[in-house]
Amino acid sequence: MKEVEDKAKKYQQIRRRLTLFHLLLTPALLIVLIASGLTFGMRQNAIAITGGNDWGVVAVYFMLFSLYFLMFDLPLEYYADFFLEHQFGLSNQNFRQWGVDFLKKASLSFALSLGLLEALYLIIRKFPGTWWLWAWAAYAFVSYVMGKLFPVFIVPLFYKYGKLEDKELETRVLKFAARFGLPVQNVYSLNLSKTTKKANAAFMGIGKTKRIVLSDTLISNFTHDEIETVLAHELGHFKHHDVWRFLGFGLVMSLAAFWMGFQGVNALGASMNLSSAADVAGLPLLFLIFYAVNFVLMPASNAYSRRRERVADLFALKATGNKDVFISTMQKLGQQNLADPAPPAWYEWFFYNHPAIHRRIEMAKRQALDQRLGTRDQRL
């Protein structure tokens, strides 16, 4: 146990450094684009290649913009997602498999981002005085649609769904879900072991795309009672409508970001020699403003997420009625995923969207103690 904890602490220490480095790198690269005038060179190249067509200029500019970031992101991605994961025995991928997945993710990200960017600049051209509000409304719609499409179309690009081979477990899971009114007929296994040894589970989708997904790494390493505890946590999110809560909270934050983007581009665009908000050379400024808003609001966003996770944990404890299994589940998840059992408080406050493992275990112990004291008081 001590050996695993030390390994987890070392792994997470490196992860924290990478997170902080990337946190500084992204705005630095955006500032370089603006301060050096490189963003205007990219725009001029895009105009020269496309003849000034609005759609084409945005597409070519974004391609150059993406290549610029790729030069820095690729080495970091290799180190963080391949080298480091192999160094700590968490990856099941060889280099070729990792490279194929990286290309798929990069291509998909580029295609989706380009579509959103084209829509954004179309809105800016059509509604120069109120584009931030229309862009936010479009973003809200896309967020809802992606919530429905993600489990059906995006996940299968990287992993395969399968039916549970353990029929006893499947029956148990479906009965447990029915007990709390979760409208699903199938529980899916996901071949997460294709890439990692880490374990996970999720309640995915919106509306008819709702589904329970258990990773094969969870199924093969956890008891039925422990898997039921993980499922109970996910059911807690369902019962408390957390999908909609998180979507709504995210939309409030994005509204602030779009409004600040509108104000910032209007205030600073002239000093940058932007012709208007529709000038694609202003994209680094817009992204920098979005990044700053997200940075400022990140502690609040993560605090809200941790609160919802605590509520789901409480639901799991009450639904299963077994704090010992809950504790063993948290311990095994922490060990298998090399989670830091007690990360620095400042880092948890700023970056963690789940409570740290030791806090979840302490909460379970307090909950059990409160129940025992309550029972004793009733007897007295």
Side-chain angles (χ1 to χ4, degrees), residues 7-24:
K7 185 179 180 181
K9 282 185 174 296
K10 185 176 180 181
Y11 172 73
Q12 292 297 338
Q13 185 180 55
I14 297 172
R15 280 280 172 194
R16 285 195 293 272
R17 290 171 181 169
L18 285 171
T19 298
L20 294 173
F21 179 74
H22 200 271
L23 190 72
L24 297 173

Side-chain angles (χ1 to χ4, degrees), residues 208-227:
K208 293 183 179 180
T209 65
K210 286 192 183 90
R211 60 190 61 196
I212 296 170
V213 179
L214 306 175
S215 73
D216 56 353
T217 48
L218 182 77
I219 295 168
S220 61
N221 291 294
F222 288 70
T223 67
H224 285 191
D225 284 343
E226 290 167 340
I227 292 172

Side-chain angles (χ1 to χ4, degrees), residues 26-42 61 64-66 68-69 71-72 272 280-281 283-285 287:
T26 299
L29 292 176
L30 291 170
I31 290 170
V32 167
L33 276 176
I34 297 168
S36 68
L38 185 57
T39 183
F40 296 101
M42 289 179 175
Y61 177 93
L64 297 173
F65 179 90
S66 299
Y68 167 76
F69 269 87
M71 288 190 299
F72 300 92
M272 278 184 60
V280 74
L283 183 64
L285 174 62
F287 277 3

Side-chain angles (χ1 to χ4, degrees), residues 164 166 169-170 172-173 176 187 200-201 212-235 320 325 328-329 332:
L164 284 184
D166 187 336
L169 176 61
E170 181 181 36
R172 183 169 177 173
V173 167
F176 193 77
V187 182
N200 208 343
I212 296 170
V213 179
L214 306 175
S215 73
D216 56 353
T217 48
L218 182 77
I219 295 168
S220 61
N221 291 294
F222 288 70
T223 67
H224 285 191
D225 284 343
E226 290 167 340
I227 292 172
E228 187 174 79
T229 295
V230 175
L231 173 63
H233 173 91
E234 298 303 323
L235 279 171
T320 60
V325 172
S328 71
T329 303
K332 286 174 73 171

Side-chain angles (χ1 to χ4, degrees), residues 184-337:
V184 294
Q185 273 113 42
N186 291 305
V187 182
Y188 293 91
S189 169
L190 194 71
N191 66 330
L192 197 64
S193 61
K194 169 191 170 186
T195 60
T196 183
K197 292 180 174 64
K198 296 177 181 178
N200 208 343
F203 173 65
M204 294 183 179
I206 296 174
K208 293 183 179 180
T209 65
K210 286 192 183 90
R211 60 190 61 196
I212 296 170
V213 179
L214 306 175
S215 73
D216 56 353
T217 48
L218 182 77
I219 295 168
S220 61
N221 291 294
F222 288 70
T223 67
H224 285 191
D225 284 343
E226 290 167 340
I227 292 172
E228 187 174 79
T229 295
V230 175
L231 173 63
H233 173 91
E234 298 303 323
L235 279 171
H237 286 307
F238 164 74
K239 292 298 289 184
H240 296 112
H241 310 289
D242 282 341
V243 169
W244 295 106
R245 288 174 183 265
F246 286 132
L247 180 61
F249 193 86
L251 291 179
V252 170
M253 289 182 59
S254 64
L255 180 62
F258 278 111
W259 183 79
M260 287 298 296
F262 173 76
Q263 297 294 336
V265 170
N266 283 348
L268 301 173
S271 63
M272 278 184 60
N273 295 318
L274 297 177
S275 59
S276 69
D279 187 342
V280 74
L283 183 64
L285 174 62
L286 189 59
F287 277 3
L288 190 60
I289 295 169
F290 287 167
Y291 192 86
V293 173
N294 181 68
F295 178 83
V296 170
L297 295 180
M298 189 185 298
S301 175
N302 285 334
Y304 180 73
S305 178
R306 290 194 302 271
R307 179 182 175 186
R308 300 314 310 163
E309 295 298 335
R310 281 193 293 271
V311 171
D313 279 347
L314 282 170
F315 179 90
L317 280 166
K318 292 176 181 178
T320 60
N322 195 327
K323 65 99 176 174
D324 291 328
V325 172
F326 182 92
I327 290 171
S328 71
T329 303
M330 291 298 109
Q331 289 172 336
K332 286 174 73 171
L333 280 172
Q335 292 166 12
Q336 188 163 338
N337 296 349

